[in-house]
Coordinates of all heavy atoms in Angstrom, one line a residue:
F27 N 65.0 104.0 26.2 CA 63.7 103.9 25.7 C 63.6 103.1 24.4 O 62.7 102.4 24.2 CB 63.2 105.4 25.4 CG 61.8 105.4 24.7 CD1 60.7 105.2 25.4 CD2 61.7 105.7 23.4 CE1 59.4 105.2 24.8 CE2 60.5 105.7 22.7 CZ 59.3 105.5 23.5
Y28 N 64.7 103.2 23.6 CA 64.8 102.4 22.4 C 65.0 101.0 22.6 O 64.8 100.2 21.6 CB 65.8 103.0 21.5 CG 65.5 104.4 21.0 CD1 66.4 105.5 21.2 CD2 64.3 104.7 20.3 CE1 66.2 106.8 20.8 CE2 64.1 106.0 19.9 CZ 65.0 107.0 20.1 OH 64.7 108.3 19.7
A29 N 65.3 100.5 23.8 CA 65.6 99.1 24.0 C 64.3 98.3 23.8 O 64.4 97.1 23.4 CB 66.1 98.9 25.4
V30 N 63.1 98.9 24.0 CA 61.9 98.2 23.8 C 61.2 98.5 22.5 O 60.1 98.2 22.2 CB 60.9 98.5 24.9 CG1 61.4 98.1 26.3 CG2 60.6 100.0 24.9
Q31 N 62.0 99.1 21.5 CA 61.3 99.5 20.3 C 60.9 98.3 19.4 O 60.0 98.5 18.6 CB 62.2 100.4 19.5 CG 63.4 99.9 18.7 CD 64.0 101.0 17.9 OE1 63.8 102.2 18.1 NE2 64.7 100.6 16.8
P32 N 61.4 97.1 19.5 CA 60.7 96.0 18.8 C 59.3 95.8 19.3 O 58.4 95.6 18.4 CB 61.6 94.8 19.2 CG 62.9 95.3 19.4 CD 62.7 96.6 20.1
L33 N 59.0 96.0 20.6 CA 57.6 96.0 21.0 C 56.8 97.2 20.6 O 55.7 97.1 20.2 CB 57.6 95.8 22.6 CG 58.2 94.5 23.1 CD1 58.1 94.6 24.7 CD2 57.4 93.3 22.6
S34 N 57.5 98.4 20.6 CA 56.8 99.6 20.2 C 56.5 99.5 18.7 O 55.4 100.0 18.3 CB 57.8 100.8 20.4 OG 58.1 100.9 21.8
F35 N 57.3 98.9 18.0 CA 57.1 98.6 16.5 C 55.8 97.9 16.3 O 55.0 98.2 15.5 CB 58.3 97.9 16.0 CG 58.3 97.7 14.5 CD1 58.7 98.7 13.6 CD2 58.0 96.5 13.9 CE1 58.7 98.5 12.2 CE2 58.0 96.3 12.6 CZ 58.4 97.3 11.7
L36 N 55.7 96.8 17.0 CA 54.5 95.9 16.9 C 53.2 96.6 17.4 O 52.2 96.5 16.8 CB 54.7 94.6 17.7 CG 55.7 93.7 17.1 CD1 55.9 92.5 18.1 CD2 55.4 93.2 15.7
L37 N 53.4 97.4 18.5 CA 52.2 98.2 19.0 C 51.8 99.2 18.0 O 50.6 99.4 17.7 CB 52.6 98.8 20.3 CG 51.5 99.6 21.0 CD1 50.3 98.7 21.4 CD2 52.1 100.4 22.2
M38 N 52.7 99.9 17.4 CA 52.4 101.0 16.4 C 51.8 100.3 15.2 O 50.8 100.9 14.6 CB 53.6 101.8 16.0 CG 53.3 102.9 15.1 SD 54.8 103.9 14.6 CE 55.3 104.6 16.2
M39 N 52.3 99.2 14.8 CA 51.7 98.5 13.6 C 50.2 98.2 13.8 O 49.4 98.4 13.0 CB 52.5 97.2 13.3 CG 52.0 96.4 12.1 SD 52.8 94.8 12.0 CE 54.5 95.4 11.7
T40 N 49.9 97.7 15.0 CA 48.6 97.2 15.3 C 47.6 98.4 15.5 O 46.5 98.3 15.0 CB 48.6 96.4 16.6 OG1 49.5 95.3 16.5 CG2 47.2 95.8 16.9
L41 N 48.1 99.5 16.1 CA 47.2 100.6 16.4 C 47.6 101.8 15.6 O 47.5 103.0 16.0 CB 47.3 101.0 17.9 CG 46.9 99.8 18.8 CD1 47.1 100.3 20.3 CD2 45.4 99.4 18.7
F42 N 48.0 101.6 14.4 CA 48.7 102.7 13.6 C 47.8 103.9 13.4 O 48.2 105.1 13.5 CB 49.1 102.2 12.2 CG 50.0 103.1 11.5 CD1 51.1 103.6 12.1 CD2 49.8 103.4 10.1 CE1 52.0 104.5 11.4 CE2 50.7 104.2 9.5 CZ 51.8 104.8 10.1
E43 N 46.5 103.7 13.2 CA 45.6 104.9 13.0 C 45.5 105.8 14.2 O 45.4 107.0 14.1 CB 44.2 104.5 12.5 CG 43.4 103.7 13.6 CD 42.0 103.5 13.2 OE1 41.3 104.4 12.6 OE2 41.4 102.4 13.4
W44 N 45.6 105.2 15.4 CA 45.6 105.9 16.6 C 46.9 106.7 16.9 O 46.8 107.9 17.4 CB 45.3 105.0 17.8 CG 43.9 104.4 17.7 CD1 43.6 103.2 17.2 CD2 42.7 105.0 18.2 NE1 42.3 103.0 17.3 CE2 41.7 104.1 17.9 CE3 42.4 106.2 18.8 CZ2 40.3 104.3 18.2 CZ3 41.1 106.4 19.1 CH2 40.1 105.5 18.8
F45 N 48.0 106.2 16.5 CA 49.3 106.9 16.6 C 49.3 108.1 15.6 O 49.8 109.1 15.9 CB 50.4 105.9 16.3 CG 50.8 105.1 17.5 CD1 50.3 103.8 17.6 CD2 51.6 105.6 18.5 CE1 50.5 103.0 18.7 CE2 51.9 104.8 19.6 CZ 51.3 103.5 19.7
I46 N 48.7 107.8 14.4 CA 48.6 108.9 13.4 C 47.7 110.0 13.9 O 48.0 111.2 13.7 CB 48.1 108.4 12.1 CG1 49.1 107.4 11.4 CG2 47.8 109.5 11.1 CD1 50.5 108.0 11.1
A47 N 46.7 109.7 14.7 CA 45.8 110.7 15.2 C 46.5 111.6 16.2 O 46.1 112.7 16.4 CB 44.6 110.0 15.9
L48 N 47.5 111.0 16.9 CA 48.2 111.8 17.9 C 49.4 112.6 17.3 O 50.0 113.4 18.0 CB 48.8 110.9 19.0 CG 47.7 110.2 19.9 CD1 48.4 109.1 20.8 CD2 46.9 111.1 20.7
H49 N 49.7 112.3 16.0 CA 50.9 112.8 15.4 C 51.0 114.3 15.4 O 52.0 114.9 15.8 CB 51.0 112.3 14.0 CG 52.4 112.3 13.5 ND1 53.6 112.0 14.2 CD2 52.9 112.5 12.2 CE1 54.6 112.1 13.5 NE2 54.3 112.4 12.2
D50 N 49.9 115.0 14.9 CA 50.0 116.5 14.8 C 49.9 117.2 16.1 O 50.2 118.3 16.3 CB 48.8 116.9 13.9 CG 49.1 118.3 13.3 OD1 50.3 118.5 12.9 OD2 48.2 119.1 13.1
I51 N 49.4 116.5 17.2 CA 49.2 117.1 18.5 C 50.6 117.2 19.2 O 50.8 118.1 20.0 CB 48.3 116.2 19.4 CG1 46.9 116.2 18.8 CG2 48.2 116.8 20.8 CD1 45.9 115.2 19.4
E52 N 51.5 116.3 18.8 CA 52.9 116.3 19.4 C 52.8 116.2 20.9 O 53.2 117.0 21.6 CB 53.7 117.6 19.0 CG 53.9 117.7 17.5 CD 54.8 118.9 17.2 OE1 54.2 120.0 17.0 OE2 56.0 118.8 17.1
V53 N 52.3 115.0 21.3 CA 52.1 114.8 22.7 C 53.4 114.9 23.5 O 53.4 115.5 24.6 CB 51.5 113.4 22.9 CG1 51.4 113.0 24.4 CG2 50.1 113.3 22.3
A54 N 54.5 114.4 23.0 CA 55.8 114.5 23.7 C 56.1 115.9 24.0 O 56.7 116.3 25.0 CB 56.8 113.8 22.9
H55 N 55.9 116.8 23.0 CA 56.2 118.3 23.2 C 55.3 118.9 24.2 O 55.7 119.8 25.0 CB 56.2 119.0 21.9 CG 57.3 118.7 21.0 ND1 57.5 119.3 19.7 CD2 58.4 117.9 21.1 CE1 58.6 118.8 19.2 NE2 59.2 118.0 20.0
V56 N 54.0 118.5 24.2 CA 53.1 119.0 25.2 C 53.6 118.6 26.6 O 53.6 119.3 27.6 CB 51.7 118.6 24.9 CG1 50.7 119.0 26.0 CG2 51.2 119.1 23.6
W57 N 53.9 117.3 26.7 CA 54.4 116.7 28.0 C 55.6 117.4 28.5 O 55.8 117.7 29.7 CB 54.6 115.2 27.8 CG 55.0 114.5 29.1 CD1 56.2 114.2 29.5 CD2 54.0 114.0 30.0 NE1 56.1 113.6 30.7 CE2 54.8 113.4 31.1 CE3 52.7 113.9 30.1 CZ2 54.2 112.7 32.1 CZ3 52.1 113.3 31.2 CH2 52.9 112.7 32.2
S58 N 56.5 117.8 27.6 CA 57.8 118.4 28.0 C 57.7 119.9 28.1 O 58.7 120.5 28.6 CB 58.9 118.0 27.0 OG 58.6 118.6 25.7
G59 N 56.6 120.5 27.7 CA 56.4 121.9 27.8 C 56.9 122.7 26.6 O 56.8 123.9 26.6

């Protein structure tokens, strides 16, 4: 998953407020149960 993190880095930079909006929800933990 980290192999694409240069692209993830740019995506997060561009849409940072949206990633922050998801931060407290912990989407990954909801997805994993």
Side-chain angles (χ1 to χ4, degrees):
F27 175 77
Y28 293 124
V30 299
Q31 78 172 20
L33 296 178
S34 302
F35 185 80
L36 293 175
L37 180 65
M38 185 182 294
M39 180 189 296
T40 304
L41 303 175
F42 194 48
E43 66 172 320
W44 294 93
F45 282 95
I46 293 299
L48 296 173
H49 200 38
D50 203 39
I51 298 172
E52 296 183 275
V53 176
H55 285 179
V56 175
W57 184 267
S58 64

